Amino acid sequence: MGELAGNKHVEYILSVERRKDDFHSVLMEHLRMNGAYWGLATLDLLGKLDAVDSEDVVSWIMKCQHESGGFGGNIGHDPHVHYTLSAVQVLALFDKLDVLDINKVTGYVASLQKEDGSFSGDTWGEVDTRFSYIAICCLSILKRLDSMDVEKAVKYIVSCKNMDGGFGCTPGGESHAGQILCCVGALAITGSLHHIDKDLLGWWLCERQVKSGGLNGRPEKLPDVCYSWWVLSSLIMIDRAHWIDKEKLIKFILDSQDTENGGISDRPDDAVDVYHTYFGVAGLSLLEYPGVKAIDPAYALPVNVVERIFFGRCST
Ligand SMILES: [Zn+2]
């Protein structure tokens, strides 16, 4: 089995950051806030966050804030709860949450909750359990969960639980690993994991591992490195991570690296991107791969950052 090409991945992330104005970046412009989170979280997990200028990043993030309190994907873009969480997560990485007007951000996120407890992603109204997770994660990091109706939010998520133990995006929606992580993460943060049938869901999740060792998101689909995160973090939160073959999953992720130019792809021999590089490294972190910092499965932030938020500045 190969080894993690950590330094190459750091170089790759930094090179993408430098190529801000190329064609690919223009296409991805609206996703830049998410890209910043994927890239910077990767650097932090690999112990190289200090390779970027935190002042530059923080000042750019604050320029993406809308007067409603929410953040856009880039300067001048409409706000969305997903970009808002990414902005908060990046500020948390740099220990810069104090630059935020917490009431303003909190007011924006809480305003997206509907009467039935669900959340929409922006003021246009599409409802999805992903947005429930994002809102709960964001308000928890800001220590303002009390600004939303947690009980109703949990009730709505539980109403999206299926017979197979998984969760869909709305009641009756098909189970999908990405959606399951969101629902399990939201229930974990709100102390509501007792609503889950852990054995039933654990069985569905561990069946996502295919012959190559990789994980897929639904039955009959191809394995994909990003599901190392969605599936494994869910399994960890319900204490069933030992139901998959960890060595084979490590090999699948390592086989998906570009060991020459850095970066990780969705599966071996495909083109690399920042998204899969982050989820590959995050997956290896959950698998306790040497040299990668530990990541928290519910908050998707390094454990030391989560400890700093909730328990003060005791660790570095
Ligand atoms: Zn993927």
Side-chain angles (χ1 to χ4, degrees), residues 3 5 8 12 44 58 103 115 119-120 126 131 138 168 174-175 192 205 222 231 235 238 243 248 250-251 289:
E3 285 190 357
K8 295 274 185 187
Y12 166 71
D44 200 3
V58 171
N103 284 336
E115 195 42 48
F119 276 85
S120 56
E126 184 204 352
F131 306 142
C138 190
E174 185 192 3
S175 293
S192 312
L205 287 167
L222 288 172
V231 174
L235 281 167
I238 60 167
W243 286 8
K248 279 182 83 173
I250 290 174
K251 182 176 184 311
Y289 192 90

Side-chain angles (χ1 to χ4, degrees), residues 7-259:
N7 289 334
K8 295 274 185 187
H9 300 326
V10 168
E11 274 309 309
Y12 166 71
I13 297 286
L14 293 174
S15 75
V16 172
E17 182 54 28
R18 283 192 289 267
R19 281 188 288 127
K20 268 182 193 151
D21 298 318
D22 75 3
F23 179 67
H24 178 73
S25 289
V26 171
L27 283 179
M28 299 288 286
E29 196 189 43
H30 63 289
L31 281 176
R32 200 171 278 171
M33 186 64 78
N34 298 350
Y37 159 67
W38 298 325
L40 295 167
T42 304
L43 292 182
D44 200 3
L45 289 174
L46 294 173
K48 292 282 162 48
L49 189 61
D50 54 5
V52 292
D53 184 338
S54 66
E55 294 301 321
D56 275 1
V57 178
V58 171
S59 101
W60 169 73
I61 285 180
M62 295 315 289
K63 285 181 194 148
C64 296
Q65 190 173 27
H66 192 255
E67 55 190 31
S68 63
F71 287 79
N74 207 339
I75 298 168
H77 289 218
D78 287 340
H80 191 281
V81 75
H82 194 183
Y83 303 136
T84 304
L85 173 62
S86 288
V88 167
Q89 284 171 317
V90 172
L91 292 173
L93 288 177
F94 287 114
D95 195 13
K96 285 281 169 23
L97 286 171
D98 55 356
V99 303
L100 287 174
D101 179 338
I102 304 280
N103 284 336
K104 226 178 151 185
V105 183
T106 300
Y108 170 76
V109 176
S111 75
L112 298 171
Q113 189 169 30
K114 307 281 173 200
E115 195 42 48
D116 63 358
S118 66
F119 276 85
S120 56
D122 56 26
T123 47
W124 310 109
E126 184 204 352
V127 162
D128 190 309
T129 44
R130 275 182 302 153
F131 306 142
S132 300
Y133 164 71
I134 287 169
I136 287 170
C137 187
C138 190
L139 292 181
S140 176
I141 291 171
L142 299 175
K143 300 181 188 169
R144 290 298 304 277
L145 268 180
D146 59 336
S147 65
M148 63 180 274
D149 190 328
V150 173
E151 206 185 311
K152 270 191 172 179
V154 167
K155 214 173 149 196
Y156 180 78
I157 291 168
V158 172
S159 77
C160 298
K161 187 166 71 171
N162 292 320
M163 298 282 283
D164 58 16
F167 293 83
C169 53
T170 48
E174 185 192 3
S175 293
H176 179 282
Q179 221 73 42
I180 291 171
L181 172 275
C182 290
C183 294
V184 174
L187 295 176
I189 291 171
T190 55
S192 312
L193 284 174
H194 56 278
H195 290 291
I196 294 176
D197 182 334
K198 293 181 180 175
D199 284 342
L200 186 63
L201 177 57
W203 179 244
W204 190 93
L205 287 167
C206 76
E207 281 203 308
R208 304 281 58 77
Q209 189 161 38
V210 302
K211 233 174 158 186
S212 64
L215 304 167
N216 63 18
R218 277 179 292 168
E220 314 297 331
K221 297 284 179 187
L222 288 172
D224 183 327
V225 160
C226 63
Y227 288 103
S228 311
W229 171 260
W230 309 114
V231 174
L232 191 53
S233 54
S234 304
L235 281 167
I236 289 173
M237 287 188 275
I238 60 167
D239 302 319
R240 298 294 182 275
H242 54 289
W243 286 8
I244 61 156
D245 186 329
K246 293 184 181 176
E247 287 304 312
K248 279 182 83 173
L249 178 55
I250 290 174
K251 182 176 184 311
F252 177 78
I253 299 173
L254 295 178
D255 285 348
S256 304
Q257 301 179 100
D258 180 337
T259 50

